[in-house]
Amino acid sequence: MYRSKTCGELRLADKGKTVTLAGWVQKSRKLGGMTFIDLRDRYGITQLVIDGAADPQLVEIAESLGREFVIQATGEVLERQSKNPKIPTGEIEIKVQKINILNKSVTPPFTIEENSDGGEDLRAKYRYLDLRRPPLQRALALRHRLAQEIRTYLDGEGFMEIETPYLIKSTPEGARDFVVPSRMNPGQFYALPQSPQTFKQLLMVAGYDRYFQIVRCFRDEDLRADRQPEFTQIDCEMAFVEQEDVLKTFEGMMRAMFKNAVGVDIPNPLPRMSWYDAMDNYGSDKPDIRFGMKIHEITKQVQGVGFSVFDSAEYVGAINAEGCAEYTRKQLDELTEWVKRPQVGAKGLVYIKLNPDGSIKSSVDKFYTPEQLKAIADALEAKTGDLILVLCGPKRKTQTQLGVLRIEMGNRLGLRDPHVFAPLWIVDFPLLEWSEEDGRFYAMHHPFTAPKPEHEKWFYSDKKEDLERVCANAYDFVLNGSELGGGSIRIHNADMQKRMFEVLGIGPEEAEYKFGFIIHAFQYGAPPHGGLAFGFDRVCALFGGQETIRDYIAFPKNNQGRDVMIDSPSKIDQVQMDELFLASTVKE
Ligand code: ASP
């Protein structure tokens, strides 16, 4: 046994015991003839003391220890004279009788403590050292706890965890595939799954009516801040269910996770909002409902007084930033520049300030009387001290811009406390999305999503307006402005699936080539089924009160999709290239 106790375990009650600890030297300092060492393992930090008057050999070893040396130390637990209330072991220290150096360490490139002095790139390169730091240990411990809660809950509900293959054929989630060349099948490629979607549906056909898997998925997308090329989903599917059954089951899972992993009670039942209401009121299909500041349409109110910008707009909408009337000219100019950034894309920003002295000031004073401005303020329930921000343009685009502005103002006003949780379901998504550019419909979710039964009549219509009206039997789980998961009731009837491919402009040959296996399977008694998947990395980050998922993944990739620690991706040698029948077109 290398140790009798961990570095996080000893308390005053252990006073007088002789113990052996093992761990890493975080810090060593000499003070008044004594050497003090902070010894760390994943359970905590314990202070070791070596008296200068002790055995000279022991003193010599103690003084030779560098940062991150791995040692084993035996000694007696003493009450500390100067206690450290910040750590659980802060009332005791170990008076060391014996030190055994288990391994030396070269000097680490950054400090391995709660807050490190190392920059992000350096820490990524030495991820195994960064992982020794408590914040990352806490993140991975939370991830582990959540995974256990998920398994316990789903097992209790009769779900079976079944693995599906990684070397497959393209899946229909709409991103680019990562591909793997096949040596045994020259010129042919596997695709890595963007999700196990088709396999879990085949498992339903196979009769495994409650399936889940905590599974890696791969999508070759340009990486935005919190995306990873490989990420983990809690992937689930159920047979003989309707939307209501799926929502109830997974609300239950979320409730157990919140309760048992972070001690939070979420509402029962969870709120539900239609996609249309989410867009109209929050300008987002993943609304953050921790705060109000809802979007109001004021198109009719502002048109017809000769302000051509508003007169020619399809839609004019506004939000009320409460208490922001003191925004200076400079701050308003800055905000105007902010909404004009390509990430937001607005053409300009109109404001109405309800000054503390009762007067109203607006960037469009010229066109509107104070009474007219007051009427707009009343429509937004704005009061003295508030600031109304107005955008205009095409309806959905402008709502989305207002949604982005709302989140920004929510951040600026401190309305988005990461430790407050406001989950909800978004339902009634449109089934199809028209792309002007490509002149065709795309599936908003994926092509296996069923239309709502009451909208089937429009689904079989040839009119674009009818097809645009069809709602999907789909749902998203949203938390604090992030989509944590989504899914749908699936099409389980081969004819309806054929119609879907037709609507999406996927011809019979292409459908057969890409999805023949599932179309065939559906001819053999496919049960009604549906499911969903949660993004597990993001679930972990949000439960941990963080925005970025990287800390919750042991070995993540950077924004260029690189693992800088193992230096991948990298070239392969010519022999491997030849074996795989590959030729590179990259110019050296
Ligand atoms: N496969 C879907 C996704 O990855 C989730 C689902 O429909 O179950 O988004």
Side-chain angles (χ1 to χ4, degrees):
M1 288 265 275
Y2 275 104
R3 56 184 174 188
S4 64
K5 295 282 174 193
T6 70
C7 297
E9 204 174 341
L10 295 164
R11 301 286 182 274
L12 205 48
D14 298 300
K15 194 166 134 183
K17 287 186 189 156
T18 296
V19 296
T20 301
L21 303 182
W24 286 264
V25 174
Q26 175 159 313
K27 231 192 230 160
S28 163
R29 59 205 175 277
K30 275 187 81 168
L31 209 74
M34 316 271 259
T35 305
F36 292 91
I37 293 166
D38 285 348
L39 191 67
R40 170 187 9 88
D41 63 13
R42 84 169 165 95
Y43 307 92
I45 288 178
T46 298
Q47 175 162 291
L48 311 179
V49 249
I50 299 96
D51 191 335
D55 168 10
Q57 219 184 332
L58 176 65
V59 175
E60 195 187 319
I61 295 178
E63 288 179 0
S64 76
L65 299 175
R67 278 166 57 205
E68 302 308 313
F69 274 40
V70 189
I71 64 166
Q72 184 185 35
T74 302
E76 191 190 335
V77 182
L78 301 186
E79 179 167 0
R80 259 210 230 181
Q81 293 204 314
S82 55
K83 300 201 166 62
N84 179 356
K86 287 197 202 120
I87 59 172
T89 61
E91 289 190 306
I92 57 101
E93 61 192 5
I94 310 295
K95 185 178 179 206
V96 177
Q97 288 138 13
K98 190 167 169 241
I99 293 179
N100 191 5
I101 299 181
L102 299 174
N103 217 338
K104 292 183 177 172
S105 169
V106 295
T107 307
F110 48 83
T111 52
I112 301 176
E113 296 178 18
E114 181 73 30
N115 296 308
S116 175
D117 62 0
E120 206 173 309
D121 293 346
L122 192 62
R123 284 186 289 115
K125 185 158 180 222
Y126 297 90
R127 183 71 173 176
Y128 46 89
L129 295 180
D130 207 18
L131 285 170
R132 286 185 190 163
R133 292 173 49 233
L136 285 157
Q137 291 176 340
R138 286 195 296 270
L140 292 188
L142 176 63
R143 185 182 178 109
H144 165 76
R145 173 82 354 254
L146 287 167
Q148 297 313 307
E149 290 302 334
I150 291 160
R151 291 202 161 95
T152 306
Y153 175 84
L154 291 176
D155 180 51
E157 294 290 313
F159 283 75
M160 278 170 73
E161 185 163 15
I162 303 174
E163 286 158 278
T164 51
Y166 280 164
L167 295 175
I168 65 162
K169 199 167 168 153
S170 196
T171 38
E173 308 294 353
R176 224 175 268 123
D177 287 320
F178 280 105
V179 294
V180 179
S182 167
R183 180 184 54 81
M184 288 192 284
N185 301 277
Q188 297 190 344
F189 296 81
Y190 301 100
L192 298 180
Q194 294 184 29
S195 81
Q197 185 62 35
T198 48
F199 286 95
K200 64 176 173 177
Q201 292 194 243
L202 292 172
L203 284 169
M204 294 306 113
V205 177
Y208 295 82
D209 61 358
R210 290 183 163 217
Y211 143 94
F212 86 101
Q213 189 181 188
I214 299 184
V215 61
R216 203 65 57 80
C217 300
F218 306 85
R219 295 183 192 178
D220 186 6
E221 292 173 307
D222 293 332
L223 302 177
R224 282 182 267 130
D226 65 341
R227 289 268 171 103
Q228 287 279 310
E230 52 176 308
F231 60 98
T232 303
Q233 280 191 347
I234 313 163
D235 190 49
C236 311
E237 196 77 5
M238 306 167 83
F240 306 113
V241 286
E242 291 172 340
Q243 170 166 311
E244 195 58 33
D245 305 301
V246 179
L247 299 194
K248 282 232 172 72
T249 304
F250 291 98
E251 249 184 74
M253 183 180 88
M254 277 292 166
R255 191 161 295 114
M257 289 161 70
F258 268 108
K259 181 87 193 152
N260 302 336
V262 288
V264 169
D265 286 308
I266 57 170
N268 188 7
L270 284 186
R272 292 184 194 175
M273 194 186 289
S274 80
W275 180 88
Y276 294 90
D277 285 345
M279 290 308 297
D280 288 347
N281 294 322
Y282 297 92
S284 168
D285 56 4
K286 38 182 193 291
D288 185 345
I289 56 166
R290 281 173 298 182
F291 64 106
M293 211 191 281
K294 284 192 197 168
I295 296 170
H296 286 261
E297 175 169 10
I298 53 170
T299 318
K300 290 221 173 72
Q301 245 180 308
V302 295
Q303 286 183 339
V305 300
F307 181 40
S308 65
V309 178
F310 283 171
D311 285 348
S312 62
E314 182 197 352
Y315 171 97
V316 187
I319 55 170
N320 176 19
E322 286 181 32
C324 288
E326 72 245 21
Y327 260 46
T328 60
R329 186 62 210 245
K330 200 165 151 226
Q331 281 173 303
L332 287 164
D333 286 346
E334 180 267 331
L335 201 57
T336 307
E337 284 316 307
W338 191 90
V339 298
K340 286 186 182 166
R341 298 179 335 155
Q343 295 94 314
V344 190
K347 292 233 164 64
L349 177 70
V350 165
Y351 68 82
I352 304 168
K353 256 186 185 187
L354 293 132
N355 291 325
D357 64 8
S359 65
I360 297 188
K361 167 91 193 103
S362 168
S363 47
V364 289
D365 288 333
K366 264 206 292 213
F367 300 96
Y368 298 91
T369 63
E371 291 70 34
Q372 285 168 324
L373 294 173
K374 178 77 176 52
I376 298 171
D378 288 345
L380 275 108
E381 290 172 19
K383 41 182 199 332
T384 304
D386 290 352
L387 171 69
I388 294 169
L389 301 168
V390 188
L391 297 180
C392 67
K395 180 171 168 184
R396 292 287 180 223
K397 198 170 157 192
T398 307
Q399 285 177 335
T400 305
Q401 293 165 350
L402 280 163
V404 177
L405 179 60
R406 173 181 174 271
I407 292 293
E408 173 67 12
M409 294 312 290
N411 284 335
R412 292 188 188 194
L413 292 170
L415 302 174
R416 306 187 70 220
D417 179 348
H419 299 287
V420 172
F421 298 101
L424 78 159
W425 291 107
I426 304 297
V427 294
D428 297 344
F429 286 80
L431 181 71
L432 303 160
E433 231 174 346
W434 179 259
S435 157
E436 276 308 331
E437 222 169 277
D438 303 347
R440 55 158 280 197
F441 277 114
Y442 283 92
M444 190 127 165
H445 191 50
H446 52 56
F448 304 122
T449 295
K452 295 199 88 165
E454 60 272 33
H455 292 183
E456 270 174 38
K457 52 184 186 294
W458 294 324
F459 181 60
Y460 288 96
S461 155
D462 285 330
K463 290 198 202 114
K464 183 167 164 254
E465 319 79 80
D466 282 343
L467 287 164
E468 273 173 336
R469 281 205 287 200
V470 181
C471 275
N473 216 337
Y475 31 79
D476 273 359
F477 184 93
V478 169
L479 176 66
N480 296 358
S482 283
E483 180 207 319
L484 284 192
S488 58
I489 296 300
R490 325 297 183 187
I491 297 171
H492 66 280
N493 156 316
D495 288 337
M496 188 185 269
Q497 189 64 63
K498 264 194 211 135
R499 169 65 185 157
M500 186 64 167
F501 288 138
E502 186 184 285
V503 170
L504 297 176
I506 301 175
E509 269 163 45
E510 189 186 349
E512 178 64 32
Y513 178 72
K514 282 192 174 158
F515 308 117
F517 58 99
I518 200 158
I519 300 170
H520 296 164
F522 278 6
Q523 294 168 340
Y524 293 91
H529 61 286
L532 81 182
F534 293 95
F536 186 45
D537 310 294
R538 207 172 295 168
V539 166
C540 295
L542 262 77
F543 272 65
Q546 302 290 321
E547 296 250 313
T548 74
I549 61 176
R550 223 173 274 170
D551 285 354
Y552 292 82
I553 299 172
F555 297 107
K557 298 192 173 39
N558 73 7
N559 283 345
Q560 280 75 50
R562 296 199 69 82
D563 183 326
V564 293
M565 180 184 66
I566 60 171
D567 193 20
S568 168
S570 58
K571 285 188 194 144
I572 56 174
D573 62 36
Q574 196 55 48
V575 177
Q576 262 178 309
M577 293 279 280
D578 293 345
E579 263 177 5
L580 296 169
F581 306 93
L582 295 178
S584 173
T585 57
V586 177
K587 301 235 163 42
E588 293 296 325

